[in-house]
Amino acid sequence: MQTKVFHIACVAISTLFFISCGDNKKVEVSEQKQPNIIYILADDLGYGDISSFNPVGKIKTPNIDKIAQEGMKFTDAHSPSAVCSPTRYGILTGRYSWRSELKNGVLTGKSKALIPKSRATVASLLKGAGYQTAFIGKWHLGWEWAQKDTANFGAEGWNPEDFDNLDFTKPVTNTPNDLGFDYAYGHSGSLDMAPYVYVENGKSTAEVDHVTEDTGEYTWWRKGPTAADFVHDDVTPNFFRKSMDYLKEKSKEEAPFFLYLALPSPHTPILPTEEWLGKSGLNPYADFMLMIDDYVGQLSKTLEEQGLAENTLLIFTSDNGCSPEANFELLGGRGHDPSGIFRGHKADIYEGGHRVPFIVKWPGKIAPNSVSNQTICHTDLMATCADIVGIDLKESEGEDSFSLRPIFENTDDMVFEREATVHHSINGSFSIRKENYKLILCPDSGGWSYPRPGTDDISALPKFQLYDLKADPSEENNLFEKHPDKVNELTALMRSYIENGRSTPGVKQTNSPLHLNGKEWHQIEPILSH
């Protein structure tokens, strides 16, 4: 991959100079060390699960709240999808996943790589700018396990025999290392998806020697092959330990670093360690949240102790809304709603599916106790990083990414340029949000809450839904039949985003074919035909 890059000297000097960026414009930069960048991505953590976002909630998260107090809290931040894999694709590529082959659902623990080596990622961009780059955690974007013979991958079921052809003794290919990460350590899918194997820089870290399964109400995971060093209860603590060790190592080096810490929690299996069981007084999910908050505090303390905090851009967020596995009914009865005031939860097209906590701390750039009500998306990380390090993205890079730097620095000479934001549910249903209005291009939740597609009677419902989120943030009053002009405007905008292959200004790009595994991408039909 050819990238317009420059290398920033590590010793700060006061002079400014111009540096050529190949076929792109010249960029004025200061010879000053670029900020380290840490992106902590929780898994299935709801908007209402962070106490600074939900003061009436019963889960208290003082360490995550402290990051907000020292930085900026975004009240209107969104994952591009209401489920795992597509959101992770969007974070790393700056592109909506529905432009890729993944039009709905998620990958499994043995799926092939979703991101081709030819596509630029946040990691490859920053690596080209002189950063050391690391991934630690849950990948869930596919890679190729070695095969014992030339047979195909076969069915992606969950029974142990489905894994018989995988050879865990041989290197894994198409890994995070092929997408710009100098160091990569993690597991392939969600923590409830086999195989349960740590892979470090393309190699399994231990022999796969047994099969595990759990069928508990909160603790369940699917039956599958497990490595000798893989202990489900210790996976989240292990990733935090690895990350803190990485910070200690990088504190001794001059080059800036990018750390993508992708947690597998509080997604199922819900596994608070023994010291946290019962601490919340609510249920194991709330206990797990307290444990995660404590580890975030430990990581923040490590940054301080290693002298890294003052020159580090730290982001904490979640990949989508909270899963119903948290037990909404029980939590609600005890005064806590993981979605806060918002409708729905993980998998849904409603706000509870994709509105997430998003906190950014950047000393010297972001004023403490800042709050932004701008509508932003996880896909914006790509353009933000490019803007910070002074790289012009190519036309085929970050097609749905807008720099957040104007919001961070709050200066009059920079403007945040996002026009609208597209959301996507587990079954591939769309919504598009512009200013206060959100148009949902299906009659139901597109996910797991009522009205659930395919199970609840939706024949009497309007074919689309339109909500004014300023007046009706809980999406209770469907305005579809009252504002046909707004429906037409947003439908036309969604159609243009599909047809242009991008939502940013620029040359038209190509989406992947509108089908996957032989199934037509039916959710696009009402948009293009409206």
Side-chain angles (χ1 to χ4, degrees), residues 36-38 131-136 181-185 239-253 255-261 299 302-303 306 308:
N36 307 308
I37 300 172
I38 300 175
Y131 276 67
Q132 293 292 307
T133 55
F135 154 73
I136 296 174
F181 288 101
D182 297 306
Y183 177 76
Y185 175 91
F239 288 151
F240 273 107
R241 291 194 301 267
K242 285 277 186 183
S243 297
M244 289 184 279
D245 287 344
Y246 182 82
L247 297 181
K248 293 173 185 176
E249 176 187 335
K250 292 305 162 188
S251 69
K252 303 171 186 176
E253 301 177 8
F257 64 82
F258 167 58
L259 170 61
Y260 171 46
L261 171 54
L299 189 142
T302 301
L303 277 174
Q306 298 301 313
L308 296 169

Side-chain angles (χ1 to χ4, degrees), residues 135 182 200 206 286 311 327 340 433 463 473 496 505 520:
F135 154 73
D182 297 306
E200 185 173 35
N311 193 39
N327 198 334
R433 162 83 178 280
K463 69 173 184 176
S496 73
E520 290 301 318

Side-chain angles (χ1 to χ4, degrees), residues 203-340:
K203 295 181 180 179
S204 300
T205 60
E207 179 183 358
V208 176
D209 61 0
H210 63 296
V211 172
T212 61
E213 180 183 22
D214 193 291
T215 58
E217 178 184 3
Y218 292 99
T219 60
W220 70 270
W221 67 79
R222 298 170 178 90
K223 188 175 183 179
T226 307
D229 65 345
F230 199 99
V231 179
H232 277 75
D233 300 63
D234 189 53
V235 172
T236 292
N238 181 35
F239 288 151
F240 273 107
R241 291 194 301 267
K242 285 277 186 183
S243 297
M244 289 184 279
D245 287 344
Y246 182 82
L247 297 181
K248 293 173 185 176
E249 176 187 335
K250 292 305 162 188
S251 69
K252 303 171 186 176
E253 301 177 8
E254 290 295 333
F257 64 82
F258 167 58
L259 170 61
Y260 171 46
L261 171 54
L263 302 177
S265 47
H267 189 291
T268 51
I270 296 169
L271 297 171
T273 54
E274 186 175 353
E275 66 177 299
W276 292 101
L277 281 172
K279 283 289 182 69
S280 69
L282 298 174
N283 74 346
Y285 175 81
D287 298 338
F288 209 17
M289 281 297 310
L290 297 186
M291 186 184 98
I292 292 167
D293 179 71
D294 185 76
Y295 272 109
V296 170
Q298 292 182 43
L299 189 142
S300 295
K301 184 178 179 182
T302 301
L303 277 174
E304 295 282 353
E305 291 174 344
Q306 298 301 313
L308 296 169
E310 291 303 307
N311 193 39
T312 295
L313 169 62
L314 174 62
I315 298 174
F316 179 90
T317 187
S318 176
D319 65 347
N320 45 248
C322 181
S323 168
E325 296 291 339
N327 198 334
F328 274 60
E329 183 176 355
L330 183 150
L331 289 169
R334 296 176 178 177
H336 181 79
D337 189 332
S339 296

